[in-house]
Amino acid sequence: MARQKAQGAERVQLGSYWLEYRAERDDWSICWYDPAARTRRRRKTGIGGGGSAEPPEAAREALARHYLEASKPAEPQPKAQAMVPELLTGWMRDHVATKADSARYAISVQHLLRFFDREQRLGRVVGGVTVADVNKTFVDRFIAFRKGEDVGGHTISRDLAALRGALNWAWREELIEAAPFVKDVDAKEKAKPRDLTYSMEQVAALLEAAWSRPERYHVFLYSLIALSTCGRSEAILDLHDHQIDRGLIFFLDPDRDQTSKRRSIVPIAPTLAPWLEGVSGKVIKYRAELAQAKWADPGVPEFFERDCYDLGNAFDACLVEAGISRPVLDLNGKPAMLPPRRKLGETEPRPKLRGRGTPNTLRHTIITEMHARGVPEAQIEAAAGHIGEGTNKRNYRHLRPDYLAALIEAVEDYWSEMKRYTTVHLRPRSSAAM
């Protein structure tokens, strides 16, 4: 027990509880502050004596018992009462936040919450998803839900791992009585190649759509880097200026530990090089126009920028504009419709569309192109981070003049062929004022 000063006298305190002597009653009370009621609470112990400066041993024992009782965790909740969204939130806050690459778990949680909301709207769950709702049929519906969004087996497996991890964590923390079994995606599904890639015509349309608006320039630059390096999405989004050096992109930040999702070192392709000149701070930044009313002030820039760690809806909007999309179905399995946009002169509802693929589809696309162009397997795997490297290769191989030369030659061949469909990737960086 700690002794703390209170109004000039020492008091015996344990956690947020302390002993206070009431001389008029010769009684030691246990006191604490109730933030909800914004007042001090008091509980009589029925123990007197000892004087105001030195509580008797019995009063100290009463304080210890009260502290243990108040600090005792709540009884584990039964499955029918434990809400899965609350458990996911606690897992993210108290467990995942301390892990590397915590953002990828957050993305999986977002997909799970979208599915939970859909289950409620369909009437399959009432009052929110509880642990009792998580069974084989429930998990099968989630797998079907994600497959309907053109998501591969590995991605669905990662989403299920987030659900499984949160429930097991809640059981270990005695928040729930038991954690249900959450099956994984069938091994055959995970072994399937990622067959969704974009044609050159589709990539050209995507680049044009991203270039068309300043608030999409971050999608444009991300796409150029992805298609020039085979880099992982999270590595590109994390990229800073100090990771660009001597004509190389060091996707692994020096202050970051290497994980199983390896981050590689890739030479900067000539087509990409002008777009990286003069970058400062974080490379991928969201950029949008300020209101024109503020342009009159010469001290106010026309645009504002902020660091970007998620392409989110911007990439999907580019896909839809590029025609790489599919209709979204409503709860009845029919195409969902959006109301007409009066400002655009529309008078009829229009179908709600969703882009096919994700930013990571660009990585699959360029890796496929590299294979088709005969790049040695070892160079593709080195650029994509699919293989580990010994200390000698990791520290020195990128210094060789011929490092990944065949890969960069094939990347430039890809960009040269792209000129048949668009030249947006060849425009000077200054024309976008990025």
Side-chain angles (χ1 to χ4, degrees), residues 143 147 153 160 183-192:
I143 293 174
K147 283 183 178 179
L160 292 173
K183 74 171 194 176
D184 199 356
V185 176
D186 187 87
K188 293 181 180 179
E189 291 288 337
K190 294 170 69 173
K192 285 183 179 179

Short mmCIF file of all heavy atoms in Angstrom, two decimals, residues 143 147 153 160 183-192:
data_model
loop_
_atom_site.label_atom_id
_atom_site.label_comp_id
_atom_site.label_asym_id
_atom_site.label_seq_id
_atom_site.Cartn_x
_atom_site.Cartn_y
_atom_site.Cartn_z
N ILE A 143 -16.94 -16.66 -46.32
CA ILE A 143 -16.05 -17.04 -47.42
C ILE A 143 -16.73 -16.77 -48.76
O ILE A 143 -16.12 -16.21 -49.69
CB ILE A 143 -15.65 -18.53 -47.30
CG1 ILE A 143 -14.77 -18.74 -46.05
CG2 ILE A 143 -14.92 -19.01 -48.55
CD1 ILE A 143 -14.45 -20.19 -45.76
N LYS A 147 -15.53 -14.21 -51.65
CA LYS A 147 -15.31 -14.70 -53.01
C LYS A 147 -16.13 -13.90 -54.01
O LYS A 147 -15.69 -13.67 -55.15
CB LYS A 147 -15.69 -16.18 -53.10
CG LYS A 147 -14.67 -17.14 -52.51
CD LYS A 147 -15.11 -18.57 -52.71
CE LYS A 147 -14.10 -19.56 -52.17
NZ LYS A 147 -14.55 -20.97 -52.34
N GLY A 153 -8.03 -16.81 -52.22
CA GLY A 153 -8.03 -17.65 -51.02
C GLY A 153 -7.10 -17.17 -49.93
O GLY A 153 -7.43 -17.24 -48.75
N LEU A 160 -10.00 -14.51 -42.04
CA LEU A 160 -10.43 -15.50 -41.05
C LEU A 160 -9.45 -15.58 -39.90
O LEU A 160 -9.84 -15.82 -38.75
CB LEU A 160 -10.60 -16.86 -41.71
CG LEU A 160 -11.75 -16.98 -42.72
CD1 LEU A 160 -11.69 -18.33 -43.44
CD2 LEU A 160 -13.10 -16.80 -42.04
N LYS A 183 -12.82 -22.25 -39.05
CA LYS A 183 -12.07 -23.01 -40.05
C LYS A 183 -11.34 -22.08 -41.01
O LYS A 183 -11.68 -20.88 -41.14
CB LYS A 183 -13.01 -23.93 -40.82
CG LYS A 183 -13.91 -23.22 -41.82
CD LYS A 183 -14.65 -24.22 -42.68
CE LYS A 183 -15.28 -23.56 -43.90
NZ LYS A 183 -15.91 -24.53 -44.80
N ASP A 184 -10.37 -22.63 -41.71
CA ASP A 184 -9.61 -21.87 -42.69
C ASP A 184 -10.17 -22.16 -44.09
O ASP A 184 -10.98 -23.08 -44.27
CB ASP A 184 -8.14 -22.25 -42.63
CG ASP A 184 -7.24 -21.20 -43.27
OD1 ASP A 184 -7.77 -20.21 -43.82
OD2 ASP A 184 -6.00 -21.36 -43.23
N VAL A 185 -9.72 -21.40 -45.05
CA VAL A 185 -10.06 -21.66 -46.44
C VAL A 185 -9.43 -22.99 -46.85
O VAL A 185 -8.34 -23.35 -46.39
CB VAL A 185 -9.55 -20.52 -47.34
CG1 VAL A 185 -9.80 -20.82 -48.81
CG2 VAL A 185 -10.20 -19.22 -46.95
N ASP A 186 -10.12 -23.72 -47.69
CA ASP A 186 -9.60 -24.99 -48.18
C ASP A 186 -8.22 -24.79 -48.82
O ASP A 186 -7.98 -23.79 -49.51
CB ASP A 186 -10.56 -25.58 -49.21
CG ASP A 186 -10.15 -26.98 -49.63
OD1 ASP A 186 -10.55 -27.95 -48.96
OD2 ASP A 186 -9.42 -27.08 -50.63
N ALA A 187 -7.32 -25.73 -48.56
CA ALA A 187 -5.95 -25.61 -49.06
C ALA A 187 -5.91 -25.47 -50.58
O ALA A 187 -5.05 -24.77 -51.13
CB ALA A 187 -5.14 -26.83 -48.62
N LYS A 188 -6.84 -26.11 -51.27
CA LYS A 188 -6.87 -26.01 -52.73
C LYS A 188 -7.20 -24.59 -53.17
O LYS A 188 -6.71 -24.11 -54.19
CB LYS A 188 -7.89 -26.99 -53.29
CG LYS A 188 -7.52 -28.46 -53.10
CD LYS A 188 -8.57 -29.37 -53.70
CE LYS A 188 -8.19 -30.84 -53.50
NZ LYS A 188 -9.24 -31.75 -54.06
N GLU A 189 -8.05 -23.92 -52.39
CA GLU A 189 -8.39 -22.53 -52.71
C GLU A 189 -7.19 -21.62 -52.55
O GLU A 189 -6.95 -20.71 -53.34
CB GLU A 189 -9.54 -22.05 -51.83
CG GLU A 189 -10.88 -22.71 -52.12
CD GLU A 189 -11.48 -22.23 -53.42
OE1 GLU A 189 -11.14 -21.13 -53.87
OE2 GLU A 189 -12.28 -22.98 -54.00
N LYS A 190 -6.42 -21.87 -51.48
CA LYS A 190 -5.24 -21.04 -51.23
C LYS A 190 -4.15 -21.30 -52.26
O LYS A 190 -3.32 -20.43 -52.53
CB LYS A 190 -4.71 -21.30 -49.82
CG LYS A 190 -5.67 -20.85 -48.74
CD LYS A 190 -5.26 -21.33 -47.37
CE LYS A 190 -4.01 -20.67 -46.86
NZ LYS A 190 -3.73 -21.03 -45.46
N ALA A 191 -4.13 -22.52 -52.80
CA ALA A 191 -3.10 -22.87 -53.77
C ALA A 191 -3.40 -22.36 -55.16
O ALA A 191 -2.53 -22.37 -56.04
CB ALA A 191 -2.93 -24.39 -53.81
N LYS A 192 -4.63 -21.92 -55.40
CA LYS A 192 -4.99 -21.44 -56.73
C LYS A 192 -4.18 -20.19 -57.08
O LYS A 192 -3.97 -19.32 -56.25
CB LYS A 192 -6.48 -21.09 -56.79
CG LYS A 192 -7.40 -22.29 -56.87
CD LYS A 192 -8.85 -21.84 -57.00
CE LYS A 192 -9.79 -23.02 -57.10
NZ LYS A 192 -11.20 -22.60 -57.22
#
